[in-house]
Amino acid sequence: MTGRTHELEVDKTTVGRVEDNMFQVAEPSVSSHHCEILKEGNKVIIKDLNSTNGTFINGEKITESELKPGQMLRLGQVEIQLQTDVMPAESDTGMVSAPPVEPIKKPLSQTVAMPRGVSLNELEQGPRASGFDTTSKAFAKKSNKANKWFLIIGIIVLFVIGIMLLVMIGQIESH
């Protein structure tokens, strides 16, 4: 996702993992239909669509909120930044006015695709530096005692049934 851009050309842009979204983010932590980006005048509004992993602006979980240029929008594990080419202009009163929302025209240098999962090489190297403890008893290999006992009892039952059949066949032949 790094460097990928999407111009906000319409008033409503759907964002999600599946192809029917206007802006597809093919990343497992992003919901099928994650959120909507709504242009309302000079504002950009983000509306979460009951996503599984949440929608965040600058680390704060939102259901619906305004996204301002430079703020980080996080969908699952993917971070996106709204950027415009327009700088705030000084009005006649000396106040800074908010820039109009413009389509993104340059690469998103701050967009980061966060890593997901592990590679086979990482698994072979042992636990990650993140502190996840794989040595605890909760992750210990379970014993196979139940399967061994089931097999032994099954063999005994089959042996007993076999003997009973032989006895019954012997009794039938003797009559």
Side-chain angles (χ1 to χ4, degrees):
M1 294 290 301
T2 302
R4 184 171 166 202
T5 63
H6 181 80
E7 292 187 21
L8 301 176
E9 298 170 341
V10 294
D11 290 340
K12 179 178 169 183
T13 302
T14 57
V15 181
R17 190 179 66 249
V18 295
E19 292 178 5
D20 66 352
N21 289 287
M22 294 177 76
F23 182 41
Q24 182 185 10
V25 181
E27 162 36 69
S29 66
V30 175
S31 292
S32 298
H33 298 96
H34 201 100
C35 69
E36 293 176 338
I37 301 174
L38 308 167
K39 286 178 26 179
E40 296 179 359
N42 290 340
K43 293 182 180 181
V44 174
I45 305 295
I46 306 299
K47 182 177 180 183
D48 183 75
L49 298 175
N50 296 319
S51 61
T52 303
N53 293 319
T55 301
F56 299 81
I57 294 179
N58 285 349
E60 196 172 313
K61 189 170 186 173
I62 59 109
T63 53
E64 185 171 329
S65 185
E66 180 180 359
L67 179 66
K68 297 178 181 171
Q71 288 185 319
M72 292 304 285
L73 171 64
R74 182 166 53 92
L75 313 174
Q77 294 182 348
V78 175
E79 289 185 336
I80 301 169
Q81 186 177 40
L82 174 64
Q83 294 184 347
T84 65
D85 283 341
V86 179
M87 297 301 294
E90 253 188 58
S91 68
D92 294 336
T93 60
M95 301 293 288
V96 176
S97 61
V101 177
E102 292 287 323
I104 298 172
K105 304 216 185 214
K106 57 185 176 180
L108 297 176
S109 60
Q110 296 296 316
T111 302
V112 177
M114 299 175 79
R116 60 183 166 112
V118 294
S119 69
L120 183 57
N121 290 338
E122 289 174 317
L123 285 175
E124 290 171 350
Q125 292 172 1
R128 292 185 194 183
S130 66
F132 185 73
D133 181 17
T134 59
T135 61
S136 72
K137 298 253 186 229
F139 292 101
K141 184 176 179 181
K142 304 294 181 204
S143 71
N144 233 355
K145 288 181 182 178
N147 288 342
K148 288 178 186 175
W149 280 110
F150 181 76
L151 185 60
I152 290 170
I153 292 172
I155 291 171
I156 291 172
V157 168
L158 286 175
F159 183 71
V160 169
I161 291 173
I163 290 175
M164 289 175 58
L165 285 172
L166 287 175
V167 169
M168 288 173 55
I169 292 172
Q171 286 179 354
I172 291 175
E173 288 178 1
S174 64
H175 286 285

